[in-house]
Amino acid sequence: MNNFIFQNGTKVYFGKGCVKEYLACLTRKADTILLAYGGGSIKHNGVYDEITGILKEAGKTIVEFSGIMSNPTYAKVQEGAKLARDNHVDMILAVGGGSTMDCCKAVSLAAQYGGDIWDDFWARPGVIDFAPLPLGVVVTVAGTGSECNGGAVITHEEKKIKTGRDYPQLNPSFALMDPTYTYSVPVKQMISGGFDILSHIMETYFSEPNEDNVSDDIMEALMKSVIRNLRASIKNPEDYVARSNLMWDSTMAENRVIKMGKKCDFECHNMEHQLGAYTNCNHGCGLAVLHPVYYRHIYKAGLPKFVRFAQNVWGIAQEGKTDEELALAGIDALADFIKELGLPTTLKELGAEKSQLNEIADSCSISQGSYKTMTHEEILAIFQECYE
Ligand code: NZQ
Ligand code: ZN
């Protein structure tokens, strides 16, 4: 294993009924709470009523911050920070998916900072030497794993940049995770969130070291769990066992545990984020289009790991295949799974224009953790192969 330091500042309360059981206690020190949520799904599935009921009974002043969009923008962060400051908010409670949680992490920082947080913390890494506003989250959809890390992916619309930073100080102090809250997620979103989980694991697994390490073993188990439980959740969206496994898979993929000792790639995420900045495409859908094509570009540089992936995740036997043939069979199995899920397979389906590809490719960050360091020309070639 490579050297590492591990810490995770989020306390998780997991399982059916956890919000009812713990929310009042977890918010006891706050008088005024910024209740943040997205486009309104929580008003249709009973989550809003349950949460506001608990907070009102405890005598809290609730300030609502609603309408957080998928791929949250820097303008939305500033709106939330102003609300928090104007109303002397003591705590932020983010109820939703990655977009709401990420936006609120940035709000928790912006509300306490005099300068421009984009310039000082997102455009380049900064040092947080002050306390952000306390943040707790209630997770309503599995996918990003944002509940257990300090990562926040924000889109600057004018600059056409979608980028994430992971500051440990932005880890939510608590995460309430009731799998039954995810029953109402539309099937398409459940699938794209499920693919995002798989992507986080693959982006970590397909990176150095290749020598025996516990992180890779955990990841093989996690990938099989995502595949199995996503299939089960599609069959029956109210399968508690499957939804709870999927929800915890999502956290495990991004709570830093599997990254220990790993270099981590995340080039597909870099590419997807810029596609998102230009097209506002769905995160998991963008990843689904890119992964198989990207892997066909890099597998030769990480052959032993791609062979392991074919054998241990997809159960493909060597049976007279060369290592290269076996590695490619694993990537084909991934591509078949994407088709089985009904995810998009071309950039055209995501709404990208062919004429934009050059500019988008040039704007992508280059990962230093890839088996094969990309050039902007190769990223463009991948985009072109994915186009239609
Ligand atoms: O906005 P509402 O009305 O709540 O509807 C949302 C939204 O339309 C809906 N939804 C969520 N829970 C629901 C529900 N609908 C019905 N019932 C429920 N229980 O789902 C839709 C998608 O929500 P969103 O939060 O946008 O999705 P997701 O969790 O996939 O988050 C995506 C964002 O997170 C970033 C992505 O780039 C993207 O901006 N990421 C954040 C990461 C992190 N912080 O660690 C890592 C990821 O790689 C990712 O980049
Ligand atoms: Zn992701």
Side-chain angles (χ1 to χ4, degrees):
M1 296 285 283
N2 293 330
N3 297 5
F4 63 81
I5 295 173
F6 178 76
Q7 187 185 3
N8 192 305
T10 302
K11 188 162 180 178
V12 173
Y13 300 78
F14 187 96
K16 192 174 179 177
C18 64
V19 172
K20 227 180 251 163
E21 199 167 345
Y22 300 111
L23 182 62
C25 172
L26 290 169
T27 51
R28 69 189 180 284
K29 288 189 184 151
D31 293 325
T32 304
I33 294 177
L34 188 75
L35 177 64
Y37 54 95
S41 69
I42 65 166
K43 292 205 166 166
H44 304 297
N45 58 14
V47 170
Y48 175 88
D49 288 342
E50 177 151 285
I51 288 174
T52 51
I54 293 166
L55 297 179
K56 280 180 190 158
E57 203 181 310
K60 307 294 174 194
T61 302
I62 302 172
V63 177
E64 296 209 14
F65 174 40
S66 62
I68 299 172
M69 64 292 274
S70 288
N71 302 327
T73 62
Y74 185 43
K76 196 69 187 172
V77 171
Q78 287 169 310
E79 181 190 323
K82 186 171 181 323
L83 258 182
R85 272 196 298 259
D86 290 353
N87 292 282
H88 307 288
V89 158
D90 304 307
M91 170 185 258
I92 305 172
L93 185 65
V95 185
S99 298
T100 296
M101 292 188 274
D102 284 13
C103 182
C104 287
K105 289 175 187 173
V107 168
S108 76
L109 198 64
Q112 307 284 75
Y113 188 64
D116 183 313
I117 64 153
W118 180 270
D119 288 347
D120 296 343
F121 298 100
W122 266 262
R124 54 185 153 81
V127 177
I128 301 176
D129 55 3
F130 57 93
L133 264 184
L135 167 69
V137 302
V138 178
V139 185
T140 65
V141 55
T144 64
S146 178
E147 61 277 0
C148 259
N149 61 47
V153 181
I154 303 297
T155 299
H156 197 303
E157 287 180 299
E158 292 87 55
K159 294 185 196 291
K160 280 198 169 19
I161 298 173
K162 177 179 172 183
T163 194
R165 297 273 175 217
D166 187 352
Y167 294 106
Q169 295 96 324
L170 296 187
N171 261 70
S173 57
F174 64 83
L176 289 157
M177 303 177 64
D178 183 336
T180 66
Y181 279 18
T182 68
Y183 287 172
S184 57
V185 175
V187 173
K188 269 191 167 177
Q189 182 60 44
M190 175 182 80
I191 290 171
S192 81
F195 192 80
D196 190 23
I197 306 172
L198 195 59
S199 167
H200 295 152
I201 305 167
M202 293 190 295
E203 296 260 46
T204 311
Y205 181 76
F206 290 115
S207 73
E208 299 284 347
N210 289 334
E211 69 196 25
D212 189 20
N213 69 88
V214 67
S215 296
D216 283 343
D217 289 339
I218 297 171
M219 284 188 272
E220 287 170 1
L222 281 174
M223 285 188 271
K224 285 194 283 190
S225 173
V226 174
I227 295 162
R228 205 173 51 242
N229 288 294
L230 194 49
R231 282 178 172 146
S233 300
I234 292 167
K235 241 189 220 156
N236 175 13
E238 300 204 4
D239 177 338
Y240 184 79
V241 172
R243 293 313 279 264
S244 54
N245 278 323
L246 214 49
M247 201 173 199
W248 191 241
D249 287 335
S250 165
T251 307
M252 280 296 294
E254 275 295 323
N255 65 2
R256 306 194 184 101
V257 166
I258 61 171
K259 298 185 192 210
M260 293 306 108
K262 296 289 298 182
K263 238 179 156 179
C264 298
D265 181 352
F266 283 83
E267 187 61 64
C268 275
H269 269 69
N270 289 345
M271 290 191 258
E272 191 289 326
H273 286 164
Q274 280 314 99
L275 281 169
Y278 280 78
T279 67
N280 199 25
C281 64
N282 175 285
H283 178 60
C285 292
L287 292 166
V289 172
L290 295 170
H291 265 286
V293 179
Y294 173 66
Y295 286 152
R296 288 191 189 104
H297 274 250
I298 69 162
Y299 77 95
K300 285 183 188 164
L303 196 57
K305 194 63 62 64
F306 281 92
V307 166
R308 264 186 75 165
F309 179 67
Q311 290 175 316
N312 296 353
V313 178
W314 299 104
I316 304 169
Q318 184 115 27
E319 272 176 355
K321 293 183 193 68
T322 63
D323 281 358
E324 278 205 20
E325 286 164 349
L326 189 52
L328 284 170
I331 299 170
D332 287 345
L334 173 67
D336 288 346
F337 184 57
I338 289 167
K339 282 192 197 121
E340 172 194 326
L341 295 175
L343 283 161
T345 54
T346 65
L347 293 184
K348 204 173 174 184
E349 289 167 80
L350 299 180
E353 301 288 338
K354 213 168 193 172
S355 58
Q356 293 176 302
L357 297 184
N358 210 341
E359 192 180 330
I360 303 175
D362 276 346
S363 73
C364 292
S365 305
I366 304 289
S367 162
Q368 297 307 310
S370 173
Y371 279 131
K372 182 181 179 207
T373 307
M374 288 288 110
T375 59
H376 287 113
E377 290 70 34
E378 193 159 10
I379 290 175
L380 179 60
I382 291 170
F383 283 165
Q384 282 164 340
E385 277 171 55
C386 291
Y387 189 71
E388 55 191 340

